């Protein structure tokens, strides 16, 4: 913008038209180079899909995990319209919660990750494997509202965070169904073929989480997990007042790490891989970067957790459409005889009593009844002979 | 001592008066926003707070050119009204159950869970498809699982739920009613609700709506009501009215620390500092009908108002938040209500209802609905609406209505039987309740077996049956005001009043929680394992028997024997 301003000022001040042309050309080249630098990361918008798959009060920590990532992602700039938050059960307003409308991450109760401004898109029974896969692939019924859709394009960076109970090769949804790592890998491949993402960061915090990213085969995916195959992810610490474990270790230390990130920070993915070493986490966090094209050291945390709004510079003039004309209001005519409205009677007893029941249309008898009667008549005439026909008619 | 009451209130409020000359230079604002909060201390020590935010807009959503300039009216709701040709929309989210016997009647009743009822315009051709799309869109706007509303829990009442707004045509085929008793209300529903207000939650009465205090209450209900109302007393033109209401009851022991002393800060953890600048009127009403024996109010106010609400004439102290003097020198209003004595009898509510399931076992049961008429000598009619899901098969031949031990035949019965997995039972009855009596409605049912994929992930919690709705015209102790457009506080003008001697009331019973017989969900796994094992063992054995042939194989002979065999072969003698 500054370059354009300087350009304009120079153009006015210099009387010589040739010199002006040269200066304009030079400045435009410079600004295009900086614009090119601006677009080096390749994405123009950010999305986040955060899923908690566990139901029941004792799985409080999984909801706290998801909400802490939601909080970080919102703080770093991704708006609610670009976040699909799926919580399988309600912990904040659960009747067992001694502090309603709050979900805490630590027993010192400093940080209410639920907050005052939360918008949950899928909640309760809606969090199913089918809905999750439909959100990822975009195959939703036409009447689904926008807040429940993942409207990403080929320049979107998507953060996908899953937490819950899992095992070797599967993740349990709501105690009644599972999603396997093969299904997940196929869903990501569908997303790649439909160009629904530019780069994808997949984080999973479950037992044996590394098994979930073993089967990925689509490009541009980076994955992190809280534990290797054969290991359990452990929870951090219980709170005796609330009575349950508040958060899982991996996400707790990840939240601590993310609290230090601000929208302009330059921390890269290698720092994220170092979060929660074995001494703190007891399990060994793992990561997978072989499908990712860029070097993880050059990928900023804010590329996935933050939201950078890009501005496109253009040198062309744009024609605006015609200004909107004010609607001509029909003048109120006092002389016109308008019908008088009135409020409906709330309980018109006499009207209700004399309400005629709806006349059901007469339908000809069903095929079954016709067949049955035909059978009865046939049997009758077979047994007693046709001479009895005259007694009937 | 009553000072200038309703007339003073009328002067400060700003809805369009009947004889207004339209000035040629300045266009008259077509929309108007009012907010009010009514606080009513209850006899049990709890306190009832009712917020109402009303936006009136003189526009026509149904014309062909789309409305595009929204000011105070929220755009998301305006688009919903015009796209789905909605005539009236009422949606409420409630946590908790309203205890009528302890708390009296609420200003705006609502059942536990979510409730949605909509009147569509006559121009809608396929009401069911429009209804399905509308529920999906509303589930996105309010962050609720309203998309679970489908034909299995939607009913079309034939006599209840008449439109609350203006309208002459009442063809009930354009009405749909559904309730989700399991729906949870939490901050994620309050957040988009607050965003619909013109001032959001930044100024005015909405700053008090803090989720940590609101959800720590015995009862919390938030609702949105959209309807057409008359603009003036002649009622030749209409305008659209949007009312957003919050009703909360704060418990003496949970929120009040067992002390009968309430203040705005204790209830909401906030105080009021200003009115919403976009509001034409912003008022706070405290119900002081039982004063001065009961409680002491500070800071004191000289404005008083009387209103006839719920059949009773109540006196209110009024704080006008549009006046600077209300906030005093500290620029904040923290109302304090301190009790002096514990005496006083609560007026028993005239109509009260209960519902429960009787019986034992997992096969049959009985639903009992009890309706109490506490009026000493007047009887009044009551319209009972019951919507029971299809998996409780009602035996309608066992339906019995008894009052005082004798049979009470309803003057109107409408019953629509259910269809498995398609639609629920609908039972509507108009019953005359004799004075000072209990009327009991009983019906037996049988529990159905669901297919194993139809169970929710936690089937042992039970299945909910929505509340019964009881609509009634209850005789009133004082004459009701039938003039519908005289300036009245919002809480007294929700239900339209057509006659002076009775007022309309709608009460909801408890929802029921019934256990259905649940299978052992590990059985499919067990059956697969067992069957595969049996097939493998059976088929494998048979295959082996049929195709395996045994050959005798001699073990390798020792070296001596082998040499002997070679010699014998050369001699032509059989081997060893």
């Amino acid at each position: 913008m500054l370059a354009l301003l300087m350009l304009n000022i120079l153009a006015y001040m210099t009387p010589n038209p040739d010199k002006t042309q040269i200066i304009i050309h030079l400045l435009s080249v410079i600004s295009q180079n900086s614009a090119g630098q601006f677009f080096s990361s390749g994405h123009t918008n950010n999305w986040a899909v955060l899923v908690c798959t566990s139901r029941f009060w004792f799985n409080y920590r999984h909801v706290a995990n998801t909400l802490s990532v939601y909080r970080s992602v919102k703080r770093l700039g991704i708006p609610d319209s670009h976040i699909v938050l799926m919580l399988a059960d309600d912990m904040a307003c659960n009747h067992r919660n001694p502090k309603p409308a709050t979900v805490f991450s630590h027993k010192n109760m400093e940080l209410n990750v639920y907050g005052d401004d939360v918008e949950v898109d899928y909640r309760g029974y809606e969090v199913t494997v089918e809905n999750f896969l439909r959100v990822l692939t975009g195959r939703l019924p036409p009447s689904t509202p926008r807040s429940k859709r993942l409207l990403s394009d080929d320049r979107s960076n998507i953060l996908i965070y899953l937490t819950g109970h899992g095992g070797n090769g599967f993740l349990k949804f709501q105690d009644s169904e599972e999603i396997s790592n093969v299904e997940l890998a196929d869903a990501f491949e569908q997303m790649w073929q439909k160009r629904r993402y530019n780069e994808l960061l997949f984080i999973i915090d479950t037992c044996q989480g590394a098994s979930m990213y073993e089967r990925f085969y689509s490009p541009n995916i980076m994955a992190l997990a809280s534990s290797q195959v054969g290991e359990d992810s452990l929870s951090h610490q219980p709170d005796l007042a609330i009575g349950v474990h508040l958060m899982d270790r991996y996400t707790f230390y990840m939240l601590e790490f993310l609290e230090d990130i601000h929208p302009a920070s330059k921390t890269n993915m290698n720092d994220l891989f170092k979060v929660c070493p074995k001494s703190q986490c007891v399990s060994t966090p793992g990561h997978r970067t072989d499908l990712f094209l860029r070097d993880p050291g050059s990928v900023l945390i804010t590329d996935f957790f933050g939201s950078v709004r890009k501005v496109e510079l253009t040198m062309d003039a744009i024609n605006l459409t015609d200004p909107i004309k004010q609607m001509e209001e029909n003048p109120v005519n006092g002389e016109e005889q308008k019908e008088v409205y009135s409020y409906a009677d709330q309980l018109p007893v006499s009207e209700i009593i004399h309400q005629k029941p709806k006349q059901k249309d007469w339908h000809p008898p069903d095929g079954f009844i016709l067949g049955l009667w035909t059978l009865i008549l046939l049997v009758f005439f077979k047994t007693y002979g046709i001479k009895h026909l005259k007694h009937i008619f | 001592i009553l000072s200038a009451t309703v007339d003073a209130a009328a002067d400060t409020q700003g809805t369009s008066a009947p004889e207004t000359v339209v000035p040629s230079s300045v266009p008259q604002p077509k929309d108007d926003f009012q907010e009010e909060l009514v606080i009513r201390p209850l006899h049990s020590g709890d306190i009832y707070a009712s917020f109402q935010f009303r936006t009136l807009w003189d526009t026509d959503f149904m014309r062909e050119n789309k409305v595009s300039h929204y000011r105070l009216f929220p755009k998301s709701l305006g688009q919903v009204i015009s796209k789905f040709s909605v005539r009236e929309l009422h949606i409420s989210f409630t946590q908790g159950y309203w205890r009528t016997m302890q708390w009296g009647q609420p200003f705006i009743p609502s059942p536990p869970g979510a409730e949605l009822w909509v009147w569509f315009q006559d121009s809608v051709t396929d009401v069911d498809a429009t209804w399905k799309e509308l529920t999906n869109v509303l589930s996105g706007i309010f962050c609720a699982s309203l998309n679970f509303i489908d034909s299995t829990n939607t009913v079309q009442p034939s006599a209840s739920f008449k439109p609350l707004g203006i309208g002459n045509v009442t063809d009930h085929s354009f009405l749909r009613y559904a309730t989700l008793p399991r729906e949870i209300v939490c901050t994620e529903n309050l957040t988009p609700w607050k965003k619909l207000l013109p001032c959001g939650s930044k100024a005015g009465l909405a700053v008090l709506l803090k989720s940590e205090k609101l959800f720590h209450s015995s009862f919390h209900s938030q609702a949105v009501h959209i309807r057409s109302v008359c603009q003036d007393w002649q009622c030749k033109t209409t305008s659209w009215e949007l009312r957003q209401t919050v009703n909360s009851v704060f418990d003496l022991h949970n929120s009040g620390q067992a002390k009968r002393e309430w203040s705005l800060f204790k209830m909401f953890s906030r105080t009021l500092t200003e009115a919403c600048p976009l509001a034409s009127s912003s008022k706070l009403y405290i119900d002081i009908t039982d004063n001065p024996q009961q409680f002491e109010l500070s800071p004191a106010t000289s404005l008083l108002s009387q209103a006839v609400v719920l059949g009773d004439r109540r006196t209110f102290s009024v704080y006008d938040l549009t006046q600077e003097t209300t906030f005093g020198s500290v620029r904040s209003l923290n109302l304090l209500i301190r009790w002096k004595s514990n005496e006083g009898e609560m007026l028993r509510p005239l109509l009260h209802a209960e519902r429960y399931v009787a019986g034992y076992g997992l096969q049959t049961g009985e639903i009992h609905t009890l309706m109490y008429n506490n009026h000493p000598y007047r009887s009044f009619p009551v319209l009972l609406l019951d919507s029971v899901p299809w998996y409780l098969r009602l035996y309608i031949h066992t339906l019995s209505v008894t009052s005082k031990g004798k049979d009470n035949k309803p003057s109107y019965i409408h019953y629509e039987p259910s269809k498995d997995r398609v639609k629920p039972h609908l039972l509507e009855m108009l019953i005359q309740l004799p004075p000072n009596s209990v009327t009991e409605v009983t019906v037996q049912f049988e529990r159905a077996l669901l297919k194993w994929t139809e169970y929710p992930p936690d089937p042992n919690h039970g299945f909910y049956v929505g509340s019964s709705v009881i609509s009634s015209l209850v005789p009133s102790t004082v004459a009701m005001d039938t003039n519908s457009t005289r300036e009245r506080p919002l809480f007294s003008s929700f239900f339209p009043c057509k006659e002076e001697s009775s007022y309309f009331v709608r009460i909801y019973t408890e929802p029921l929680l019934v256990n259905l017989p649940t299978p052992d969900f590990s059985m499919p796994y067990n059956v697969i394992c067992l069957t595969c094992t049996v097939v493998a063992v059976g088929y494998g054995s048979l295959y082996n028997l049929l195709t395996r042939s045994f050959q005798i194989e001699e073990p390798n002979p020792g070296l001596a024997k082998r040499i002997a065999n070679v010699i014998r072969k050369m001699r032509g003698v059989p081997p060893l």
Side-chain angles (χ1 to χ4, degrees), chain A residues 55 90 93 100 112 114 116-120 123 125-126 143 145 148 174 341-343 345-346 352 355, chain B residues 136 139 147 158 163-164 167 182-184 186-189 191 195 211-212 216 235-236 412 457-458 498:
Chain A
R55 173 162 277 278
D90 170 55
C93 289
N112 172 16
Y114 195 57
D116 218 6
D117 190 27
V118 59
E119 285 186 19
V120 181
R123 58 185 204 158
Y125 296 134
E126 291 178 290
S143 53
K148 288 187 167 178
Q174 292 216 43
Y341 300 102
S342 63
Y343 288 100
D345 208 354
Q346 289 300 304
I352 291 173
Q355 202 168 313
Chain B
N136 277 324
S139 85
N147 45 323
S158 64
L164 287 174
R182 186 80 199 263
E183 191 67 17
I184 304 155
C186 208
T187 313
E188 66 245 23
N189 304 110
T191 309
K195 288 188 181 157
S211 54
E212 285 181 13
H216 197 45
C235 211
K236 291 214 173 148
Y412 169 79
D458 52 351
K498 288 238 159 168

Side-chain angles (χ1 to χ4, degrees), chain A residues 277-341:
Chain A
K278 197 173 166 98
S279 53
Q280 279 176 332
C281 250
V282 186
S283 58
T284 322
H287 54 90
R288 180 179 174 176
T289 51
D290 57 318
L291 295 166
F292 206 73
L293 292 176
R294 293 194 284 152
D295 170 41
S298 71
V299 180
L300 300 175
I301 300 281
T302 49
D303 276 352
F304 288 102
F305 285 88
S307 167
V308 194
R309 310 290 175 90
K310 305 288 188 181
V311 173
E312 285 197 17
L313 297 173
T314 175
M315 300 296 172
D316 309 319
I318 298 170
N319 284 329
L320 296 172
T321 53
D322 294 327
I324 300 164
K325 281 200 267 289
Q326 192 74 20
M327 280 289 305
E328 253 143 53
E329 301 295 338
N330 295 331
V332 175
N333 270 343
E335 303 88 40
E336 248 180 54
Q337 194 61 26
K338 282 210 191 123
E339 52 168 318
V340 177
Y341 300 102

Side-chain angles (χ1 to χ4, degrees), chain A residues 69-276:
Chain A
V69 177
Y70 172 77
R71 177 205 141 73
S72 308
V73 144
K74 240 176 116 156
R75 194 174 53 82
L76 292 172
I78 303 188
D80 269 314
S81 54
H82 283 229
I83 302 177
V84 177
L85 178 62
M86 304 172 75
L87 297 180
D89 202 0
D90 170 55
M91 301 302 169
C93 289
N94 196 316
H95 297 295
R96 286 177 170 172
N97 193 348
K99 296 187 167 32
T102 60
V103 173
F104 291 111
S105 62
H106 192 273
K107 66 179 181 202
N108 57 21
M109 297 202 191
E110 273 170 12
L111 189 58
N112 172 16
V113 288
Y114 195 57
D116 218 6
D117 190 27
V118 59
E119 285 186 19
V120 181
D121 301 306
Y122 287 85
R123 58 185 204 158
Y125 296 134
E126 291 178 290
V127 178
T128 56
V129 174
E130 186 192 335
N131 280 348
F132 175 58
L133 291 177
R134 279 184 188 278
V135 164
L136 286 183
T137 53
R139 294 212 188 97
L140 289 158
S143 53
T144 317
R146 281 181 77 98
S147 58
K148 288 187 167 178
R149 285 179 190 259
L150 179 65
L151 297 165
S152 55
D153 53 27
D154 64 322
R155 301 275 283 265
S156 314
N157 275 11
I158 309 183
L159 164 72
I160 297 185
Y161 178 82
L162 294 175
T163 182
H165 288 288
N168 190 355
F170 67 92
L171 170 64
K172 184 169 77 160
F173 265 72
Q174 292 216 43
D175 212 29
S176 65
E177 46 182 7
E178 309 90 35
I179 185 172
S180 64
N181 48 6
V182 176
E183 280 178 346
L184 197 56
D186 287 341
F188 287 158
E189 177 64 15
Q190 280 189 52
M191 283 174 80
W192 174 250
Q193 295 202 358
K194 285 162 77 165
R195 296 291 179 266
R196 278 169 70 77
Y197 70 89
N198 175 36
E199 284 169 351
L200 203 123
L201 176 63
F202 175 78
I203 305 181
I204 185 162
D205 187 353
T206 63
C207 302
Q208 308 193 49
S211 62
M212 289 305 283
Y213 62 63
E214 273 172 0
R215 299 294 193 112
F216 290 167
Y217 55 94
S218 320
N220 277 351
I221 300 185
M222 189 175 341
L224 280 107
S226 61
S227 56
Q228 301 293 335
V229 175
E231 283 180 353
D232 285 336
S233 280
L234 299 172
S235 59
H236 192 232
Q237 37 168 252
D239 175 70
L240 297 175
I242 298 181
V244 285
H245 285 260
L246 293 183
M247 216 161 172
D248 280 333
R249 281 173 191 252
Y250 182 72
T251 313
F252 182 80
Y253 290 109
M254 195 169 77
L255 176 66
E256 251 183 30
F257 171 76
L258 288 173
E259 287 287 299
D260 291 331
I261 310 276
H262 54 89
S265 60
K266 294 284 172 207
T267 5
N268 57 38
M269 280 294 163
N270 283 333
D271 303 318
L272 189 60
F273 295 155
K274 292 200 205 99
V275 159
C276 206

Side-chain angles (χ1 to χ4, degrees), chain A residues 341 343, chain B residues 54-58 87-88 164-167 226-232 235-243 484-485 493-494:
Chain A
Y341 300 102
Y343 288 100
Chain B
R54 177 170 88 157
T55 308
L56 275 175
W57 196 20
D58 178 18
R87 184 174 147 193
E88 249 185 56
L164 287 174
I166 55 161
I226 303 176
R227 57 179 179 165
S228 302
V229 292
C230 295
Q231 257 180 26
D232 50 25
C235 211
K236 291 214 173 148
T237 46
T238 65
S239 52
W240 283 91
E241 180 195 74
L242 163 70
R243 274 193 200 223
S484 60
T485 52
S493 61
F494 185 65

Side-chain angles (χ1 to χ4, degrees), chain B residues 19-322:
Chain B
E19 303 92 52
T20 309
V21 176
V22 179
S24 51
S25 53
V26 177
Q28 200 181 25
K30 304 276 227 43
D31 51 5
D32 174 63
F33 175 66
Q34 296 174 8
E35 53 179 18
E36 77 175 27
L37 164 61
V38 181
I39 295 184
R40 189 166 91 192
L42 302 169
H43 279 261
S44 52
D46 308 325
I47 195 155
Y48 171 35
S50 168
F51 292 80
Q52 283 209 34
F53 302 92
R54 177 170 88 157
T55 308
L56 275 175
W57 196 20
D58 178 18
T59 183
D60 186 6
F61 283 113
M62 298 303 140
R63 65 178 181 203
E64 298 84 38
N65 298 323
K66 291 206 181 80
V67 177
S68 54
H69 181 61
Y70 289 85
R71 197 173 81 101
L72 296 177
F73 201 91
K75 184 171 175 186
S76 48
L77 291 181
Q79 288 179 328
V80 162
I81 297 173
S82 51
K83 178 158 188 226
F84 298 109
S85 305
V86 164
R87 184 174 147 193
E88 249 185 56
L89 188 141
H90 301 268
I91 183 167
S92 73
F93 297 96
T94 311
Q95 174 204 66
Y97 174 65
W98 183 268
R99 297 171 205 286
T100 316
M101 289 308 271
Q102 289 161 0
W103 300 337
Q105 293 281 4
F107 294 124
I108 315 268
S110 52
E115 186 203 39
L116 172 66
W117 57 282
V118 175
W119 274 93
F120 290 98
Q121 302 274 0
D122 305 347
S123 53
V124 175
T125 44
D126 188 355
V127 183
D128 287 316
T130 321
W131 169 252
K132 187 86 191 100
E133 280 182 31
L134 176 64
T135 52
N136 277 324
V137 165
L138 288 175
S139 85
I141 295 178
F142 290 106
C143 287
S145 348
L146 296 175
N147 45 323
F148 283 126
I149 292 179
D150 56 8
S151 66
T152 58
N153 47 24
T154 309
V155 288
Q156 185 185 316
S158 64
S160 311
F161 291 103
K162 296 269 184 230
L164 287 174
I166 55 161
N168 294 327
V169 176
T170 55
D171 181 4
H172 279 256
S173 63
F174 293 104
L175 168 65
R176 291 290 182 272
Y177 172 80
T179 171
L180 291 172
R182 186 80 199 263
E183 191 67 17
I184 304 155
V185 191
C186 208
T187 313
E188 66 245 23
N189 304 110
L190 188 63
T191 309
W193 189 96
K194 283 198 283 196
K195 288 188 181 157
L196 297 173
L197 295 170
C199 279
S201 54
K202 310 249 185 328
L205 289 171
V207 300
L208 297 178
L209 298 174
K210 287 291 155 199
S211 54
E212 285 181 13
K213 285 290 189 174
L214 280 181
F215 292 106
H216 197 45
S217 54
S218 308
F219 178 85
H220 171 80
S221 167
Q222 58 196 60
V224 170
H225 301 277
I226 303 176
R227 57 179 179 165
S228 302
V229 292
C230 295
Q231 257 180 26
D232 50 25
W233 63 276
Q234 284 169 321
C235 211
K236 291 214 173 148
T237 46
T238 65
S239 52
W240 283 91
E241 180 195 74
L242 163 70
R243 274 193 200 223
Q244 290 181 249
T245 65
V246 169
N247 286 296
S248 284
V249 174
F250 294 97
D251 189 63
L252 174 67
H253 298 280
N254 273 340
S255 317
Q257 286 113 37
K259 272 195 296 215
R260 289 186 84 145
E261 191 183 288
W262 291 102
S263 70
L264 281 184
F265 190 78
K266 200 171 177 190
M267 284 160 61
F268 303 108
S269 70
R270 289 285 184 286
T271 58
L272 290 168
T273 49
E274 54 164 349
C276 172
L278 297 167
S280 60
S281 108
S282 177
K283 290 202 161 94
L284 174 56
Y285 292 86
I286 317 288
D287 189 338
I288 55 167
T289 320
D290 307 313
N291 229 16
Q293 297 83 20
Q294 281 275 306
F295 55 84
E296 166 198 320
L297 197 60
S298 75
T301 177
S302 57
L303 280 176
L304 287 176
S305 156
Q306 272 207 341
V308 179
V309 61
L310 297 172
D312 197 13
R313 184 177 296 279
R314 314 286 294 182
T315 317
F316 297 88
S317 284
V318 184
Y319 293 82
D320 190 349
L321 299 173
T322 48

